[in-house]
Amino acid sequence: MDLSPDLAAACLVPRRVSTPEEAREVVDADGAAIVSGITDETAAIAFGTAMLGADLRRIGRQIEATTKRAVEEGAKVDAQPVDARGRKRRLSTDVSLPMPPHNDGFAFGDYAPDRLFLFSARPAAVGGESFLVDGLAVLDILAKDPANAEMVEFCRTVDIDHSEPNFPQDGVSPILRTTPAGRPQVRHHPYLAPVVSGDEAQQWKFVELWKAAVTYARDAGARFRLEAGDMACVDNYRVFHGRHGYTDPARKLYSIWGWSSAAVAVPVGELDIVNPQKPAQLAG
Ligand SMILES: [Fe+2]
């Protein structure tokens, strides 16, 4: 399959908003919004809390993204073994490379947050631009070419394994599914794999095409800077995020995870991305 240059259009440059209410509307409509003037992490969480309003189930800091932390946690993950299928977990420790586009919390399956807040406390002096890939748009663009019909049908209907190596999840589902609350959820990360079956060889082709299409969109599409005090508010069920390479060791970004009443499952507490075991579920 030749990847269409049209895939670049799946990259989202969010509209700027000024209030939590406006952020909510724009995230619901477009998949992401940017707000400026966030002074610190407490203010970031307060904005997210206000944005989710009565639908809020849980919100909290998940990741303080710094070069130091990437190296420390990356070493722990590097020590984990290859899984039975030859898949190896790696964190994005080499910050000079662009990140794979991903939904945050993908290792936790149903417990991944449905809303994500990326608060830039200090951007890299050079590089480190953000990207957001609208997963629904990637599928829509692919679907315009009849040559992709089989691949798009696969993404929409065939269950695959969304787990990380050595951290199996309870269930399987298609790349795009509709959640019990009726929302679309589309997923991308480096470890996607077919379920083990007789069709595995055929299915790997489609999984790899999906990864190639999303990665192409990242590389061909728009990127933007999150300046100090900027925060991207993201529909983590629809949009894949990441940053391009940088070298500045002082870059600091907080990843804050939010679960609304429409989330598939809500964990009780902070999740451990180094050892992504199935979390306890928040009741109700
Ligand atoms: Fe992330």
Side-chain angles (χ1 to χ4, degrees):
M1 183 179 79
D2 292 328
L3 291 170
S4 165
D6 293 350
L7 284 166
C11 266
L12 190 60
V13 176
R15 278 193 266 163
R16 289 197 171 261
V17 299
S18 51
T19 67
E21 295 74 23
E22 197 185 353
R24 182 185 175 114
E25 279 176 29
V26 172
V27 172
D28 285 347
D30 298 351
I34 295 182
V35 60
S36 303
I38 303 290
T39 51
D40 55 21
E41 188 186 15
T42 302
I45 291 174
F47 188 94
T49 300
M51 185 186 112
L52 289 168
D55 293 331
L56 177 70
R57 291 297 174 269
R58 184 179 134 65
I59 188 166
R61 177 217 284 191
Q62 186 61 40
I63 299 162
E64 184 186 30
T66 60
T67 311
K68 179 170 175 286
R69 183 182 160 281
V71 170
E72 288 172 359
E73 297 201 337
K76 293 179 193 168
V77 170
D78 280 349
Q80 295 171 351
V82 173
D83 77 356
R85 308 177 78 181
R87 298 182 307 161
K88 177 74 186 84
R89 289 187 84 210
R90 303 259 181 228
L91 298 188
S92 297
T93 48
D94 184 349
V95 298
S96 70
L97 300 174
M99 288 179 111
H102 61 281
N103 320 84
D104 256 11
F106 59 80
F108 300 99
D110 289 349
Y111 292 83
D114 62 326
R115 290 292 181 264
L116 168 67
F117 303 92
L118 298 168
F119 165 51
S120 173
R122 179 164 175 176
V126 178
E129 298 91 349
S130 294
F131 62 82
L132 294 169
V133 179
D134 180 345
L136 294 180
V138 172
L139 275 176
D140 287 346
I141 293 165
L142 289 171
K144 285 179 186 163
D145 183 347
N148 299 327
E150 202 181 356
M151 187 259 184
V152 171
E153 180 71 4
F154 174 85
C155 292
R156 289 175 172 159
T157 61
V158 178
D159 288 339
I160 68 160
D161 178 357
H162 292 264
S163 70
E164 284 207 52
N166 297 313
F167 294 95
Q169 295 170 8
D170 284 345
V172 292
S173 65
I175 285 170
L176 171 65
R177 68 173 176 178
T178 302
T179 67
R183 283 179 40 197
Q185 182 182 26
V186 60
R187 287 184 273 182
H188 182 270
H189 64 73
Y191 311 109
L192 297 178
V195 294
V196 176
S197 75
D199 293 334
E200 203 179 335
Q202 171 73 3
Q203 294 188 2
W204 266 118
K205 182 177 78 177
F206 296 127
V207 172
E208 293 299 344
L209 280 169
W210 170 243
K211 292 188 205 174
V214 173
T215 304
Y216 181 96
R218 175 197 70 186
D219 293 338
R223 52 184 80 180
F224 57 96
R225 271 180 72 81
L226 287 174
E227 301 294 351
D230 283 352
M231 181 164 77
C233 310
V234 179
D235 179 346
N236 192 48
Y237 277 6
R238 170 176 166 186
V239 174
F240 319 129
H241 68 277
R243 48 120 194 94
H244 289 275
Y246 71 96
T247 54
D248 183 354
R251 178 186 190 266
K252 186 182 278 192
L253 177 135
Y254 291 91
S255 178
I256 296 161
W257 291 3
W259 289 261
S260 78
S261 54
V264 177
V266 183
V268 169
E270 189 173 326
L271 300 169
D272 180 359
I273 62 164
V274 174
N275 288 291
Q277 310 286 355
K278 182 179 174 181
Q281 184 167 0
L282 196 68

